[in-house]
Every structure is written in C-alpha cells, then in structure tokens.
Amino acid sequence: IATPATWVKQGADDDSASGAFSPLRIAASSTRTATGLAFHRNSDACKRIDISLSGDTSHVELRRYAGAIEASSQALSDITMDDAANPASGNQHVRLYFKAGATPAGGSVLNVTIVATPNAACTDARTPAPLTVGWALTVASTSPWVNQGSDVAASNGPYSALTLAVASGQTDTGLAFHRSALGCRQIDVALSGDTSQVELLRYQGSSVATPTSLSNITMHSGAAAGQDHHVKLFLKARAAVSQGDVLDLTIVAAPNSSCIDPRTPAPLTISWNLTIATAAAWTNQGSDDSVSDGPFSPLVLQDATARTAAGLAFHQSSTACRRIDVALVNSPPSYVELVRYQGSSASASTGLNNITMDNGAGTNNHHVRLFF
C-alpha cells in the first residue's frame, strides 16, 4: 500500500493576510481588494488541483492566476500548480480577494476554508487526500471622531444685523471644529450651505495659522508644538444679513488621503446655524410726545427770559435696550436745545448719553424735552 505524498508549498502560496482591512475602503472600491492570501501547493504524486471555498464567502472570491496576472481561464478545477512548469499555462495558483464594493462589518472576522483536492486525472497511488486550509480575514473597527480640545458646537449668537453691517472686521461666531480619530489625525474640512457671509479660518491655538489651507490639517492635541491646528467660523466684515435670518451651514470633515490606517473613519458631517436677531421695537415709556405746542410767536420767544417748552419730548426704549443716547442732527438751529428730565423736573444729570428710559426704573427713569 503506497504512502500518500506530502502536500508541498509552491512559490506563490501565502497564508498571511495583508493585515486588518478597512471596511470603508473596501466598500468604496470599484475593483477587487487583494487580501494577500493565496493557495499554491501540490505533491510529488499530483500537480493538478481542484479548489473550492466555503465559510464566510459572501464578501470574498477566489481568482485564478498565472504568475502575476489573472489566468485566461477562471475555472477552479484542474489547475496545474507546479513551480517547475511553464508559468503562463503550466504553473498557476489562486488568490483570495474582497469583492468590489463588499460591505463586511467593521470589527468582524471572516473565516473561510479552502479545500484542495487532487484532480481526477491524478492516478498515482501516492496521490494524497484533500487538503483543508483555514483562512481568517480581520476587518478593522473604524475609530470614532474625538474632540481634540478646541471644538465648539454652540455659537455666540444671536447676532445683530445692524452691528454686523457696520463691523469693519470679522465677527467670531464661537463655532470651531477640532476633531480627529485614532486612525487619522490629518483632516480636510469643507463648508457648504448659506456661506456667502461667513468664512472658515485655520487656527493654531488663538492665532491664525500658517498655512491657511483647509486640507491636510493636523488636528491632534498630542501633536508636536505648533502642529495642532483647528478651524473657526467667522462672519465676514460688514456681513449683509437680514433680521430674523438663520444661516444654515454644514461642515464636512474628511480624513486626508494620506490616512491609510484601516481604522480611518468615514467623513463626519456637522450642522451649524447662526441666528440673526430681529431688532426689538421702540416703545413709548410714558412721557414721549411727538406733537408740539405750536405755533409759536417769534416776538414772544424773543422777549422770553427763560426757555420755552416746545411740547416735544422723546422717551422711548426697547426690551433689548433701555439706555439711550440722544442728539439733534442735521444742523439743528442754534435757538433750540434738548434738556434732560426726570419726571416733571429737569434732571441734575444733563448729559444726553446713556439715559435710562424705562418707566419701570423709578427715579432712574429719564427722558429729554425740546425747548426754545
């Protein structure tokens, strides 16, 4: 009774996978992804091999190779596996691939089994029994996005459209993006939505960074000194926004193409919004009077030894502001003046700035009256 020949590895056999695989990269690929695993074995008694694959095979497939290129036939039976044979036709092997667009779960391990069986053409009495080889493919778990210290998701708003319209410089919204993942510290950022009156700036700590590019930004609190950057959102100088607007913005953070760690996460999308306030209405605080006592006699006014009340008074404020500055504008004539009043008496304070006009403020409630 013959002793079965031993299965012997040929040159292309490889039992080591290429490492943990990125589920995102595999899913996004329009072509197969090589696993690094290959079967290329025979025995002295049989060089012609049949191959079958079983186990977690929904995401993987075997391909037949002649040397470094795919063989013209993809049949997985009667494959001559022999390093001493002609590489083009007489020495072939099989390789394991993830299918194009495969979607294995992150953190999973795919266990597959390859069975090599001597082809029926092998009649040597030493022909060995079929050989079973187990392969395991580890699919990486993507690492989560983590705040690196300067990330801020809440804005400083609401904002005054009037103030923004005259602001000579940018207005810091308070919003900032500063996140990365264990699998990737180099981040690309992009802003979309109502972007006409806003802009993203790259920052190092509390100062604008160099370079200013919004791609390949190292966002890592553990980076070398000066290398940890983030982005901040600003309203542009003299931003032309309308009262009551809500600017809806979207920031997309994507791992830079330099990130090849299989734990690299998918792009992260975050919604930001900026609320523009509606200005509060001016409200009469009790002593406002827009109707004069006139008409007035020029002769009486000329002979008057004291001021003459015009009957006009200003006493208005809003729920958003009770402290009012007043002034006569457009070259007022020299024979009129504003006088500050507390109730029915002239106030000891004569300044026309920072006047509290609030009928709920008691003795602090002042107004101004117009006199000849």
Side-chain angles (χ1 to χ4, degrees), residues 3-372:
T3 299
T6 303
W7 285 91
V8 178
K9 289 186 177 184
Q10 302 298 296
D13 193 83
D14 196 338
D15 284 332
S16 299
S18 298
F21 299 91
S22 165
L24 302 177
R25 240 181 248 117
I26 293 171
S29 178
S30 59
T31 59
R32 300 179 188 93
T33 300
T35 68
L37 294 165
F39 185 87
H40 190 209
R41 305 185 195 187
N42 66 16
S43 70
D44 287 346
C46 182
K47 311 294 186 183
R48 298 164 68 177
I49 311 299
D50 299 343
I51 298 295
S52 65
L53 188 69
S54 61
D56 299 330
T57 60
S58 59
H59 301 297
V60 296
E61 60 184 323
L62 284 174
R63 302 295 294 177
R64 182 169 171 171
Y65 267 70
I69 61 174
E70 287 198 356
S72 57
S73 171
Q74 283 300 309
L76 297 179
S77 60
D78 198 16
I79 306 171
T80 297
M81 297 187 178
D82 183 7
D83 278 347
N86 184 323
S89 59
N91 180 31
Q92 299 187 0
H93 62 282
V94 292
R95 300 182 184 182
L96 187 68
Y97 283 83
F98 282 103
K99 297 174 183 178
T103 57
S108 62
V109 177
L110 306 183
N111 292 294
V112 297
T113 300
I114 192 166
V115 177
T117 304
N119 186 261
C122 293
T123 58
D124 190 307
R126 298 172 304 142
T127 297
L131 175 68
T132 299
V133 177
W135 284 337
L137 299 170
T138 299
V139 182
S141 295
T142 55
S143 49
W145 290 89
V146 177
N147 181 350
Q148 294 302 305
S150 297
D151 194 84
V152 180
S155 80
N156 295 332
Y159 303 91
S160 164
L162 303 176
T163 301
L164 293 175
V166 298
S168 59
Q170 297 153 324
T171 299
D172 188 352
T173 68
L175 291 165
F177 183 85
H178 189 209
R179 305 187 198 183
S180 64
L182 185 63
C184 181
R185 301 303 190 187
Q186 286 69 48
I187 310 301
D188 301 341
V189 293
L191 191 68
S192 60
D194 300 329
T195 60
S196 62
Q197 303 302 322
V198 296
E199 57 189 325
L200 276 178
L201 295 180
R202 182 168 172 170
Y203 263 67
Q204 176 188 330
S206 59
S207 303
V208 175
T210 302
T212 60
S213 169
L214 297 180
S215 62
N216 199 23
I217 306 172
T218 296
M219 296 190 179
H220 186 203
S221 57
Q227 300 302 307
D228 179 26
H229 292 188
H230 61 285
V231 293
K232 298 177 71 173
L233 184 70
F234 287 82
L235 285 150
K236 295 179 180 178
R238 296 183 176 84
V241 294
S242 299
Q243 295 185 31
D245 276 356
V246 176
L247 306 185
D248 292 312
L249 304 163
T250 300
I251 188 168
V252 176
N256 185 262
S257 58
S258 63
C259 291
I260 58 174
D261 190 304
R263 298 169 297 172
T264 298
L268 177 66
T269 299
I270 294 176
S271 294
W272 281 343
N273 61 68
L274 300 175
T275 300
I276 310 302
T278 298
W282 288 89
T283 304
N284 182 350
Q285 294 301 304
S287 297
D288 193 81
D289 194 340
S290 59
V291 179
S292 77
D293 292 341
F296 300 94
S297 164
L299 299 178
V300 172
L301 292 174
Q302 184 175 350
D303 290 340
T305 57
R307 299 186 186 103
T308 301
L312 296 166
F314 183 84
H315 190 207
Q316 297 186 35
S317 64
S318 72
T319 55
C321 182
R322 300 302 189 186
R323 299 164 69 176
I324 310 300
D325 300 343
V326 293
L328 292 174
V329 296
N330 298 326
S331 302
S334 60
Y335 47 76
V336 294
E337 62 180 330
L338 283 174
V339 179
R340 180 168 172 171
Y341 263 67
Q342 176 187 339
S344 58
S345 303
S347 168
S349 300
T350 59
L352 298 180
N353 293 330
N354 196 20
I355 305 173
T356 297
M357 296 190 180
D358 180 5
N359 59 14
T363 57
N364 292 322
N365 179 31
H366 292 192
H367 63 282
V368 292
R369 299 183 184 184
L370 186 69
F371 285 84
F372 287 99

